[in-house]
Amino acid sequence: MDFRHDETTERLRERLLAFMAERIHPAEPVFEEQARERVVPWSAPPVVAELQAEARRRGLWNLFLPGAHGAGLTNLQYAPLAEITGRSPGLAPVALNCAAPDTGNMELLAQFGSPEQRERWLVPLLEGRIRSAFAMTEPAVASSDATNIATRIERAGDEYVVNGRKWFVTGALNPNCAIFVVMGRTDPDAPRHRQQSQLLVPRDTPGVTVRRGLHTFGYDDSDHGGHAEIDFVDARVPVGNLIGAEGDGFAISQARLGPGRVHHCMRLLGMAERALELMCRRVADRHAFGGPLAAQGVVRDWIAEARVRLEQARLLVLKTAWLMDTAGNRAATEIQAIKIVVPGTVEWVLDRAIQAHGAAGLSQDTPLAGLWVRARALRVADGPDEVHRQSLARRELRRHHADPSPARV
């Protein structure tokens, strides 16, 4: 494994670092002020469109997507770029059209969508003219097990009829969100992993009702469209809106999650690097008990431990990206490992940075509290820690022919 940046990656890194320093970080207070004062609820602050135009001009657009539809980068090439955008997670990814959930939905359409679906939905997503959302999680079932999904998708002639309730549909309240990718059950009698399908449901479909925006630890995340609870009551769409074939929903979800977890984890590491930098500056400037906080042994222990943990986590994510590029997503069992390790590691670093800042770390005067919420939430999003640990342990037991359980995760 050679993790040196190739010429393409290094060129894009330099370009992206300059964009972050010259445009993104100076725009952060503008972004926050515009978000507070916007007239249209849940809409993106106007500065986002300005930054997107500049990102396109600089050739920093759709970097996440491999192949002809995107920048053509491998997972290993994109990983360090995702880390850089993580230093400003609310602004940099969307400025580059590299923000979830659009990234996963664009990957899904590029890989599994029909030509008509790609023309109608993928093209405007790639151009940044619309946003999208992924509707999978449900309030009435344990959605960490995707086979529990209860929303029904039933064929009725030339249409599919959708009935169910979804929640934490990220970005769905954004008025620019035009399409939902809905996970539902098409055949309850099929094998467990062939019961589910995915369907494109336009936001303006009769029978689709956005009920409310949900908070995460008190944050409404309205700057990017929040997290919606949505009812689907006899919502009808053409059969041509089915992605792939009936019963492909679970397999499509697994394919969608692989690259997305690398993106999430590298952005998290960027968040942690910014937190560590803020912590080092803070403890060098603050004095207590007769000297700078940086002289305290416990603070130095935090800093050293943070650096070690971040380096370990980064190497594991890069190894995972390399395996995905060389052996394929299904061969990279480390995808589960990074989802276990990285959010917890970053949460630990952020917690120490908050502690070092004292009351300021709890306030809106630093980005630390918001960053901590993002890291903590990702220990639930895309599957809770416990599910990934169980699955990873089962894989390890199989290597030694020691798995006593017939269950499959």
Side-chain angles (χ1 to χ4, degrees), residues 5 10 41 47 75 86 100 120 254 260 285 312 316 337 405:
H5 299 140
E10 190 56 40
V47 71
N75 289 294
R120 183 176 179 187
Q254 295 302 107
D285 292 339
Q312 290 174 328
L316 183 56
S405 172

Side-chain angles (χ1 to χ4, degrees), residues 343-404:
T345 295
V346 172
E347 184 186 345
W348 186 93
V349 174
L350 285 162
D351 183 79
R352 271 57 182 184
I354 290 170
Q355 195 75 4
H357 280 76
L362 308 177
S363 76
Q364 71 270 37
D365 288 350
T366 78
L368 294 171
L371 296 177
W372 183 89
V373 167
R374 289 174 180 267
R376 182 61 185 87
L378 275 172
R379 291 182 54 205
V380 175
D382 287 346
D385 295 354
E386 293 76 13
V387 171
H388 293 292
R389 289 179 185 276
Q390 179 185 3
S391 181
L392 192 60
R394 181 170 289 116
R395 290 174 183 267
E396 188 68 16
L397 285 165
R398 286 182 198 152
R399 291 179 58 220
H400 304 284
H401 309 288
D403 182 10

Side-chain angles (χ1 to χ4, degrees), residues 214-377:
L214 296 150
H215 291 189
T216 54
F217 292 98
Y219 287 81
D220 64 10
D221 294 329
S222 61
D223 54 276
H224 64 67
H227 312 282
E229 184 172 11
I230 304 175
D231 278 340
F232 298 86
V233 180
D234 292 331
R236 293 174 175 266
V237 299
V239 293
N241 284 27
L242 186 72
I243 301 173
E246 287 193 12
D248 286 349
F250 190 88
I252 290 173
S253 290
Q254 295 302 107
R256 181 185 185 275
L257 288 173
R261 285 175 179 152
V262 170
H263 304 169
H264 277 313
C265 287
M266 291 304 288
R267 283 193 295 265
L268 281 170
L269 291 172
M271 289 164 42
E273 287 289 353
R274 187 172 185 183
L276 180 55
E277 179 181 313
L278 290 171
M279 177 165 59
C280 289
R281 291 178 178 177
R282 176 77 171 190
V283 299
D285 292 339
R286 285 296 233 213
H287 286 69
F289 306 108
L293 290 178
Q296 299 290 334
V298 66
V299 173
R300 292 193 173 200
D301 183 70
W302 291 346
I303 293 169
E305 185 68 17
R307 172 50 59 209
V308 170
R309 292 190 184 201
L310 290 179
E311 294 300 324
Q312 290 174 328
R314 181 181 292 106
L315 286 172
L316 183 56
V317 180
L318 291 175
K319 177 191 176 186
T320 302
W322 176 80
L323 280 171
M324 291 168 64
D325 291 337
T326 56
N329 292 4
R330 293 186 65 83
T333 59
E334 281 78 356
I335 291 173
Q336 293 170 318
I338 63 174
K339 185 60 174 59
I340 296 166
V341 168
V342 175
T345 295
V346 172
E347 184 186 345
W348 186 93
V349 174
L350 285 162
D351 183 79
R352 271 57 182 184
I354 290 170
Q355 195 75 4
H357 280 76
L362 308 177
S363 76
Q364 71 270 37
D365 288 350
T366 78
L368 294 171
L371 296 177
W372 183 89
V373 167
R374 289 174 180 267
R376 182 61 185 87

Side-chain angles (χ1 to χ4, degrees), residues 31 44 48 51-52 61 88-99 102 131 224:
F31 178 75
V48 171
L51 292 169
Q52 287 181 327
W61 191 254
S88 184
L91 189 52
V94 69
L96 275 59
N97 209 34
C98 293
D102 292 324
R131 299 295 302 271
H224 64 67

Side-chain angles (χ1 to χ4, degrees), residues 101-149:
D102 292 324
T103 48
N105 292 336
M106 285 188 271
E107 289 168 339
L108 184 155
L109 287 167
Q111 186 173 356
F112 301 103
S114 68
E116 293 79 12
Q117 291 169 353
R118 290 197 291 267
E119 180 64 27
R120 183 176 179 187
W121 302 114
L122 178 58
V123 170
L125 282 168
L126 289 169
E127 294 176 352
R129 292 189 279 115
I130 65 171
R131 299 295 302 271
S132 64
F134 188 74
M136 177 174 171
T137 305
E138 299 179 1
V141 301
S143 303
S144 56
D145 180 355
T147 63
N148 283 338
I149 295 302

